[in-house]
Amino acid sequence: MLRALAMKLTLGQKLFIYTSLLLVLLLCATFLFLERIETRQWEEYLQTQSLSFSRLATPELQKRFRGDFSVTPTDGRSEYFDFLAINRDLVTFAFASATGRVIYRSPRFPDFIDLEFSDDQLFAGAMEVDLPSGARCRTEKLPQGGRLFAVEVPALGPSGDPVLYARFIFSYDSVDQRINEVRAHFVRLLFVSVLASFFLAGVVAKQMVRPIRELNRAVLAVAAGDLQTRIRVTGADEIGELSRAFNEMAASLAVSRAELTDANEALIDANLEMRQMQEGLLRAERLAAIGQLAAGVSHEIDNPVGIILGLAELMLEETPSDDFRYEDLKAIIEECKRCRRITGGLLGFARSSVGALGEVDLMQLVQSTLDALRPQKLFKRVEIVVQAEELPPLQVDADQIRQVLINLCLNAAQAMSGRGRLTVNLARQDGFVLVDVSDTGPGIPPQALEQVFAPFYSTKGRGEGTGLGLSICRRLIEEHRGELTVANLPSGGALFRIRLPIEFPEKNFDNQPSDSIG
């Protein structure tokens, strides 16, 4: 029957029962041992105190009696009761001669009047234990229960030899009472400890069973296809070894799946890298084609522009300054020079270089650029607002900065479809001049904020742009040791920020661009 019951119990229940029984037995043995030690200590305490009291009281009693041991105390010898009453465990005492004859026996003290024991047997009996001090003692058990402790102390005469023997009888009642209290306290402690042992046994059983349950759940998870399931290893015991073995098994099962996954991801990455390389090659080819196209366009445009520039300069030399055509010829010459610089800048898309640096009033440059844009049809219904602080002159290429401003303003007007507000704000900040060009258009999609500066990237419709404008603008600003960034305004619209250093680093230009024909 017990075997059948054990087979029905779970592992946790078995551990709880076995652990609880072991703890209870251990606690009972421990408390029994402690109770015996405590009892022995209290008994030794009574015996030590009684022996010390007897040795101190014997000379004092000998003085009080003065050799007269009549049965009825006289001359106030009853005070010895008050003297001895300080020891609440003293039952009675007696004096015996050296031959053992009892010559005086005191009445019992009031607390032990009802105590039943044979005076003759207790006083006449031999002592069982001899002590080094010459005293002797023994313990007597009473028939009705209880114990007495008898101490015999020699009373010395003038010569130092014992002339009398004083016997003191002490009761174990106070000690037995304390021992009973200790036993009751130990019983209460044992009861609490047993309850605590049950709780600890339950905790131990739960802790021991938990890894097995985790292993069971992990096995079911692996069977369901979750090969990433692992068991936390908590020790180096058999359960810990079993957990490590399971983790190694799950890891080995996951290796093949991981290898297949890695191979698939490697193929995807290779395909993506190949596509990126193809796009890079295409972009490089397009840049090379743009470079070749720029070289051809520059060559084809520079020749007629050079002829126009030369003829205009000759006509300007032959035209008086008060002639109405004089200013027109100067404008033709300036525009021809700017055209040549623009074609040179197109070549610079593939070959980076800063143009002719000069001291430029940025505010005046911005105003002249906006004045040139206002008459255009695209800006007829665009409100242009300029906000500026007092700025120092900058060492920049005016034509390149003008080209950047024109490109940013044209893009803003096109984004607003010719209706809205274009704001140009000029400010100074930490050794730099900031030129903010903002609009009230729809803004730029967040995913396209960085791509707008990539070559050939354009958000305009087909045939409306090549995607080179902003790329060239950023390159021109970076050549001036500046920075061109873009962001969307919280209120809507885009903000392009040009950041130019106030003090441009000095550079030597051995080959300055020429404005002449040759």
Side-chain angles (χ1 to χ4, degrees):
M1 181 178 179
L2 293 177
R3 180 177 297 178
L5 180 61
M7 293 181 63
K8 293 181 180 180
L9 296 176
T10 63
L11 179 61
Q13 293 172 343
K14 293 178 181 179
L15 287 174
F16 174 75
I17 292 175
Y18 297 153
T19 306
S20 300
L21 290 177
L22 180 61
L23 289 175
V24 169
L25 292 176
L26 182 61
L27 288 171
C28 290
T30 302
F31 278 110
L32 180 61
F33 177 72
L34 293 176
E35 187 270 339
R36 293 298 176 88
I37 292 178
E38 190 75 13
T39 300
R40 184 59 183 167
Q41 289 178 346
W42 278 109
E43 290 177 349
E44 291 178 353
Y45 171 77
L46 175 67
Q47 294 171 4
T48 302
Q49 294 295 323
S50 299
L51 180 61
S52 299
F53 178 80
S54 300
R55 293 178 60 188
L56 292 175
T58 298
E60 187 67 23
L61 289 174
Q62 189 177 3
K63 293 178 182 179
R64 289 177 181 268
F65 278 89
R66 299 176 183 177
D68 184 8
F69 297 98
S70 59
V71 177
T72 304
T74 59
D75 300 331
R77 275 181 282 179
S78 60
E79 294 179 356
Y80 72 86
F81 274 98
D82 297 333
F83 164 69
L84 297 176
I86 59 175
N87 192 323
R88 304 301 297 275
D89 298 321
L90 182 62
V91 178
T92 183
F93 71 93
F95 281 99
S97 64
T99 59
R101 183 176 62 87
V102 177
I103 59 178
Y104 176 78
R105 181 182 299 155
S106 72
R108 297 181 186 178
F109 283 81
D111 292 339
F112 302 100
I113 293 177
D114 298 333
L115 187 64
E116 297 180 1
F117 65 93
S118 174
D119 293 344
D120 295 335
Q121 180 182 3
L122 185 61
F123 285 110
M127 295 294 166
E128 298 174 353
V129 180
D130 293 332
L131 301 176
S133 61
R136 293 179 293 178
C137 64
R138 72 171 179 177
T139 298
E140 183 76 17
K141 293 185 179 180
L142 300 178
Q144 70 276 14
R147 295 174 297 166
L148 297 177
F149 181 65
V151 178
E152 184 179 80
V153 179
L156 304 179
S159 62
D161 296 329
V163 295
L164 294 173
Y165 289 92
R167 288 189 178 185
F168 296 88
I169 309 300
F170 300 93
S171 174
Y172 275 97
D173 288 349
S174 62
V175 172
D176 291 338
Q177 182 179 359
R178 290 186 177 92
I179 292 174
N180 291 332
E181 293 176 355
V182 170
R183 287 174 179 172
H185 182 62
F186 278 175
V187 169
R188 290 192 294 270
L189 287 178
L190 179 62
F191 178 74
V192 175
S193 301
V194 168
L195 293 180
S197 66
F198 287 155
F199 174 75
L200 292 177
V203 172
V204 171
K206 185 177 180 180
Q207 293 295 328
M208 295 294 293
V209 174
R210 179 182 299 172
I212 299 177
R213 291 179 179 175
E214 291 181 357
L215 179 62
N216 185 31
R217 287 195 294 266
V219 169
L220 295 178
V222 170
D226 185 7
L227 300 181
Q228 300 301 322
T229 301
R230 297 292 183 272
I231 300 177
R232 182 169 56 91
V233 180
T234 57
D237 53 5
E238 289 79 0
I239 295 179
E241 293 179 357
L242 182 61
S243 301
R244 280 190 290 271
F246 173 83
N247 291 338
E248 293 175 358
M249 180 194 69
S252 63
L253 291 176
V255 166
S256 58
R257 177 185 291 182
E259 291 177 351
L260 292 175
T261 303
D262 293 341
N264 188 26
E265 292 179 353
L267 290 175
I268 293 175
D269 293 339
N271 186 26
L272 180 60
E273 184 177 357
M274 185 180 298
R275 291 180 61 183
Q276 291 177 350
M277 291 177 62
Q278 289 177 349
E279 292 178 357
L281 290 174
L282 290 175
R283 191 175 292 111
E285 290 178 358
R286 294 172 69 179
L287 288 175
I290 288 295
Q292 295 177 358
L293 177 62
V297 170
S298 176
H299 176 72
E300 294 298 330
I301 293 179
D302 279 351
N303 288 336
V305 170
I307 295 173
I308 295 172
L309 179 60
L311 293 175
E313 288 178 345
L314 291 175
M315 292 178 65
L316 182 64
E317 292 177 357
E318 297 174 357
T319 302
S321 59
D322 56 351
D323 194 326
F324 69 93
R325 292 172 296 179
Y326 185 83
E327 295 297 331
D328 294 337
L329 290 173
K330 288 180 63 177
I332 292 173
I333 292 172
E334 292 297 327
E335 293 301 323
C336 288
K337 291 180 180 179
R338 191 165 70 87
C339 185
R340 292 186 63 185
R341 285 193 291 269
I342 291 174
T343 56
L346 186 59
L347 282 174
F349 183 75
R351 182 181 59 200
S352 179
S353 65
V354 179
L357 296 179
E359 192 174 274
V360 176
D361 185 346
L362 191 58
M363 180 60 189
Q364 184 177 355
L365 180 62
V366 170
Q367 288 290 1
S368 62
T369 302
L370 296 177
D371 291 340
L373 292 176
R374 281 191 179 93
Q376 295 187 22
K377 181 180 179 181
L378 184 61
F379 290 87
K380 291 292 185 181
R381 297 184 179 180
V382 175
E383 179 185 358
I384 300 178
V385 179
V386 179
Q387 300 173 351
E389 297 179 2
E390 185 176 352
L391 303 176
L394 300 181
Q395 291 291 329
V396 296
D397 187 319
D399 290 331
Q400 290 183 354
I401 301 301
R402 182 185 292 109
Q403 182 180 347
V404 173
L405 291 173
I406 290 174
N407 199 311
L408 295 180
C409 291
L410 287 174
N411 286 344
Q414 291 173 356
M416 295 185 295
S417 301
R419 293 175 179 269
R421 178 185 301 165
L422 173 64
T423 303
V424 181
N425 185 31
L426 288 82
R428 181 173 180 174
Q429 184 184 65
D430 298 333
F432 287 86
V433 171
L434 303 182
V435 182
D436 293 343
V437 180
S438 59
D439 58 66
T440 57
I444 301 174
Q447 64 275 11
L449 283 175
E450 281 301 322
Q451 298 181 9
V452 293
F453 296 108
F456 308 111
Y457 180 84
S458 177
T459 59
K460 299 177 183 179
R462 186 178 182 86
E464 296 182 4
T466 61
L468 290 173
L470 290 177
S471 178
I472 294 175
C473 289
R474 170 174 274 188
R475 181 185 58 78
L476 293 177
I477 296 301
E478 289 176 350
E479 288 177 358
H480 285 78
R481 304 295 191 270
E483 186 180 33
L484 176 60
T485 58
V486 63
N488 284 322
L489 296 174
S491 58
L495 168 65
F496 285 87
R497 170 166 290 179
I498 302 172
R499 193 166 177 262
L500 294 171
I502 295 177
E503 296 182 1
F504 193 80
E506 294 183 0
K507 293 182 65 176
N508 293 328
F509 301 97
D510 296 333
N511 298 322
Q512 292 293 343
S514 176
D515 293 337
S516 62
I517 300 175

